[in-house]
Amino acid sequence: MSTVRFESVTKSYGQTVAVRELDLLVSDGEFLTLLGPSGCGKTTTLRMTAGLIEPSGGRIWFDDQDVTYAAPRNRNIGFVFQSPALFPHLSVADNIAFGLSVKGHKKAEIATRVDEMLDRKSVV
Amino acid sequence: MSAITAARPARRSSRRLSRRRIVDVLSHAYIWLCLIVFVLPFMVLLLYSFTGPGGTYAIQNFQYVLGSFRENLLWSFGISAATLLISALISLPAAYAIVRYGFRGKRTLFSALTLPLYVPGAVIGISLLLTYNFTYHLTTSPIGLVMAMVVGTFPLMLTPIVVAMKDLPLVYEEAAACLGATKWQAYRKIVFPLIGPGLSAGLMLTFIIVFNEYLVTLFVHPPGLVTAPLRIFNLVRTAGLLPTTAALAVTMQLISFAAVILFFRVFGTRYLKGTYLI
């Protein structure tokens, strides 16, 4: 776990400002809910946290590491999408295995960990 | 009294039935007429390809297909394969860029890229002949012919891939990125399989056009390289319509049909089944 810190983060699309100078500190282990009307920048904030979009200004820190412009894969962060994002051409097991396989884990290790997860969730 | 009342509804229903029958017959006749118009040329060609000397039945015509026409068919397959490969290697990244990145003049560029589809083969042929002859001196090698095919047909490859890319939600790539995939891994493991139907449609369309193309080939083929459609054209022009030529034509048609059937059997919509895309 780590802390997530936003430092006057701004995101604008052309003339439209989606997030204006957001300062935010999410402490280690904190459970935080963003609540607001649609179009107020909740999704934009989350997507900047995950690294799917880059902020127009400001800094984002995970602990003392500056991740403002880091690629999503270098952030080690989980993200649940609004629309279904299961890979339709892969089996359930392959969907679970995807993250491990792209990180270059060994096949045998992936298989045991996928089995473990399937057992825990009583999928099989 | 009772006899009259019984007869009346029966007569009315039979009249209604006969009217429906006339409509039935007419609609069947219409469908069959259309089918005959569409299928007749192929059936005539098929029958003619089996005609022997003196109007007899001869399967020997097809021996020529594997005999003296073998080289022409092999050239056709070779040119098609090279064209498919180069066209796919150009179109896959191009389609990704066109759909995923915004840049000025995108629409204009895409319209311009599809232009070769609307230009007559003879125009493409003569312009490529001029270009290749004076710039690269390529008209004496098969590479020139392959390049001509790529230039003339790559919209057929690009367009279905662009459509498939547009139909593919960005969320899959984003999910892959969050799970630790590099851009290339996301493309290879997620995007590429999911645009499979689009790619295979492009492959099929391009194959059918390139395999059967004779007009562009006529302009830019190197001496000695005669593809199957060009051989048919040459034979019909010099020797008239021979049953052996018809046999080669039938073979080419069967190969084209096989490509279409293979596409629907093997690829079809397999990759997209079970998603909300279909």
Side-chain angles (χ1 to χ4, degrees):
Chain A
M1 293 284 226
S2 359
T3 59
V4 176
R5 188 156 55 87
F6 276 54
E7 220 176 67
S8 63
V9 170
T10 299
K11 177 68 187 176
S12 48
Y13 296 98
Q15 295 292 313
T16 323
V17 181
V19 174
R20 193 191 302 273
E21 298 196 9
L22 173 70
D23 288 299
L24 175 72
L25 177 70
V26 188
S27 354
D28 195 0
E30 186 182 348
F31 184 94
L32 179 79
T33 306
L34 295 178
L35 192 66
S38 60
C40 76
K42 306 181 297 291
T43 307
T44 308
T45 306
L46 280 177
R47 289 170 68 84
M48 284 192 292
T49 315
L52 297 171
I53 48 176
E54 285 178 356
S56 320
R59 294 269 144 201
I60 300 169
W61 302 82
F62 287 180
D63 286 335
D64 48 5
Q65 190 192 352
D66 184 354
V67 294
T68 315
Y69 302 110
R73 68 194 171 90
N74 297 327
R75 298 188 183 210
N76 194 24
I77 192 168
F79 192 94
V80 180
F81 289 86
Q82 284 174 345
S83 50
L86 290 173
F87 305 125
H89 60 302
L90 299 181
S91 65
V92 175
D94 287 341
N95 264 284
I96 297 173
F98 185 84
L100 295 172
S101 76
V102 293
K103 282 170 193 149
H105 289 253
K106 293 221 168 59
K107 276 217 171 116
E109 188 207 336
I110 295 174
T112 35
R113 289 186 61 182
V114 167
D115 279 346
E116 210 179 284
M117 198 51 71
L118 287 171
D119 271 350
R120 199 195 294 179
K121 300 291 171 200
S122 317
V123 176
V124 183
Chain B
M1 183 69 188
S2 62
I4 295 168
T5 46
R8 259 191 182 168
R11 213 166 58 198
R12 199 180 292 160
S13 77
S14 82
R15 195 187 295 155
R16 204 179 295 155
L17 218 142
S18 70
R19 195 180 299 155
R20 193 196 294 162
R21 188 176 269 170
I22 290 171
V23 173
D24 266 8
V25 168
L26 281 177
S27 52
H28 269 88
Y30 173 72
I31 292 167
W32 278 104
L33 186 72
C34 289
L35 278 177
I36 287 169
V37 169
F38 288 138
V39 175
L40 195 62
F42 181 65
M43 295 314 288
V44 169
L45 188 69
L46 189 66
L47 281 178
Y48 190 63
S49 71
F50 283 110
T51 312
T56 51
Y57 167 83
I59 196 133
Q60 292 92 309
N61 296 332
F62 280 86
Q63 285 178 347
Y64 284 86
V65 172
L66 290 174
S68 69
F69 296 148
R70 200 181 126 94
E71 195 196 353
N72 308 118
L73 279 172
L74 285 179
W75 269 123
S76 280
F77 275 117
I79 298 290
S80 305
T83 307
L84 289 182
L85 184 70
I86 294 173
S87 206
L89 287 178
I90 294 172
S91 299
L92 284 170
Y96 190 86
I98 286 171
V99 176
R100 286 289 185 252
Y101 299 105
F103 51 88
R104 278 176 84 86
K106 189 160 104 167
R107 276 166 180 267
T108 321
L109 175 76
F110 188 59
S111 310
L113 285 176
T114 53
L115 264 182
L117 283 187
Y118 315 117
V119 179
V123 176
I124 292 184
I126 200 161
S127 42
L128 288 174
L129 183 64
L130 284 169
T131 316
Y132 290 173
N133 222 354
F134 292 124
T135 52
Y136 321 123
H137 303 283
L138 269 178
T139 46
T140 52
S141 91
I143 300 169
L145 181 54
V146 170
M147 278 175 70
M149 291 296 178
V150 171
V151 170
T153 62
F154 86 91
L156 292 173
M157 182 74 83
L158 183 68
T159 313
I161 301 177
V162 164
V163 171
M165 275 298 305
K166 275 188 180 161
D167 281 346
L168 184 69
L170 188 61
V171 71
Y172 295 127
E173 284 160 75
E174 292 179 340
C178 285
L179 289 167
T182 61
K183 278 237 159 204
W184 171 242
Q185 281 174 323
Y187 188 84
R188 192 166 50 88
K189 296 191 169 202
I190 304 299
V191 176
F192 185 72
L194 288 176
I195 59 169
L199 174 64
S200 50
L203 289 172
M204 180 197 69
L205 287 170
T206 311
F207 173 75
I208 287 171
I209 298 298
V210 172
F211 190 74
N212 295 309
E213 175 66 57
Y214 87 93
L215 198 48
V216 174
T217 317
L218 189 64
F219 281 92
V220 290
H221 75 106
L225 195 169
V226 181
T227 60
L230 193 59
R231 182 74 184 267
I232 292 177
F233 178 73
N234 287 344
L235 283 172
V236 170
R237 208 180 39 171
T238 55
L241 189 56
L242 300 172
T244 47
T245 316
L248 177 59
V250 166
T251 310
M252 293 196 55
Q253 237 166 354
L254 289 177
I255 291 168
S256 298
F257 287 167
V260 178
I261 291 166
L262 189 80
F263 166 71
F264 284 115
R265 276 285 154 110
V266 178
F267 297 102
T269 56
R270 182 182 61 162
Y271 285 115
L272 297 179
K273 265 182 194 150
T275 71
Y276 57 91
L277 295 178
I278 279 185

